[in-house]
């Protein structure tokens, strides 16, 4: 990609450093998210989990997203110092191709989550004898499913849209930060709803 750009040797080195740092930050984020997901599953399935446990986890997730946001903004803004608008158009073509590949995996991910929610519902249907409690539990899980899929769609529609402000050459730091803050709010809603679901299910399955 860089060989077709009118960059000086120092500029190419600067861009390569930025790309290397961005890649390193993405790996750290993926690794951290993996740990968060495992911890979330552990908390969600335990009857002994406290609100403080979820609060701490959410703070860790937000901190990870904030660091990733800062790194992304840095790469985009500093790259603009070395890459011309015309050269950026060539990059946009690569971005569009990459996003197209990711979009093909989108349905598979959604189907996987649908199966997970169905698994939970089947477990509830078989495990809760009281009809009223069973129906409330199913309703609670369905609400989580709706919230999750709605917010997942919001994230994917933005992340996989090559016209998104996050992929635009003239994107300002203010616009980029605002968009990333929106992402964090979406993630917060998903997890906060998950926490409420957990405690409601504990309430409905705890013997009186």
């Amino acid at each position: 990609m860089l060989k077709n750009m009118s960059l000086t040797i120092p500029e190419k080195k600067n861009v390569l450093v930025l790309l290397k740092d961005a890649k390193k930050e993405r790996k750290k984020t993926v690794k951290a998210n993996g740990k968060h997901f495992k911890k979330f599953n552990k908390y969600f399935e335990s009857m002994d989990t406290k609100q403080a446990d979820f609060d701490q986890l959410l703070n860790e997730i937000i901190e990870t997203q904030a660091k990733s946001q800062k790194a992304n903004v840095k790469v985009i803004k500093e790259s603009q110092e070395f890459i011309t608008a015309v050269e950026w158009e060539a990059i946009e073509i690569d971005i569009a191709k990459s996003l197209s590949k990711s979009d093909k995996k989108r349905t598979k991910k959604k189907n996987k989550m649908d199966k997970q929610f169905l698994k939970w519902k089947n477990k509830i249907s078989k495990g809760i004898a009281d009809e009223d409690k069973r129906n409330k539990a199913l309703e609670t899980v369905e609400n989580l499913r709706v919230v999750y899929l709605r917010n997942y769609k919001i994230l994917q529609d933005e992340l996989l849209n090559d016209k998104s402000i996050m992929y635009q050459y003239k994107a300002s730091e203010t616009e980029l930060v605002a968009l990333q803050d929106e992402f964090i709010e979406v993630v917060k809603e998903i997890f906060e709803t998950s926490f409420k679901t957990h405690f409601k299910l504990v309430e409905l399955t705890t013997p009186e």
Side-chain angles (χ1 to χ4, degrees), residues 74-182:
K74 177 183 177 182
V75 170
I76 293 173
K77 294 309 298 178
E78 293 191 12
S79 293
Q80 291 174 348
E81 297 179 13
F82 310 110
I83 302 172
T84 68
V86 173
E87 290 167 342
W88 188 264
E89 289 179 4
I91 294 177
E92 287 180 327
I93 294 175
D94 290 335
I95 290 175
K97 289 180 180 178
S98 176
L99 295 180
S100 178
K101 291 180 181 179
S102 297
D103 194 28
K104 292 178 180 178
K105 300 177 182 178
R106 179 176 180 171
T107 301
K108 289 184 179 179
K109 290 181 181 179
K110 179 183 179 300
N111 290 341
K112 185 177 181 180
M113 285 309 305
D114 280 334
K115 288 181 180 179
Q116 180 62 57
F117 280 108
L118 182 59
K119 182 179 178 181
W120 286 341
K121 288 182 178 181
N122 288 336
K123 189 174 182 179
I124 288 171
S125 295
K126 295 177 181 178
I128 302 179
D130 184 276
E131 183 179 2
D132 183 52
K133 288 185 176 181
R134 182 170 64 248
N135 289 336
K136 287 180 179 178
L138 289 171
E139 182 180 342
T140 299
V141 171
E142 174 60 17
N143 177 65
L144 174 59
R145 187 187 75 85
V146 171
V147 169
Y148 177 87
L149 292 180
R150 183 184 71 240
N151 284 292
Y152 176 75
K153 184 177 185 302
I154 291 173
L155 289 174
Q156 294 300 302
D157 284 351
E158 192 68 41
L159 291 171
L160 299 179
N161 177 14
D162 61 329
K163 302 303 179 186
S164 168
I165 190 66
M166 66 191 301
Y167 304 123
Q168 301 307 305
Y169 178 73
K170 293 183 178 180
S172 69
E173 183 171 349
T174 301
E175 290 173 318
L176 292 170
V177 170
L179 181 59
Q180 295 291 345
D181 287 343
E182 288 179 23

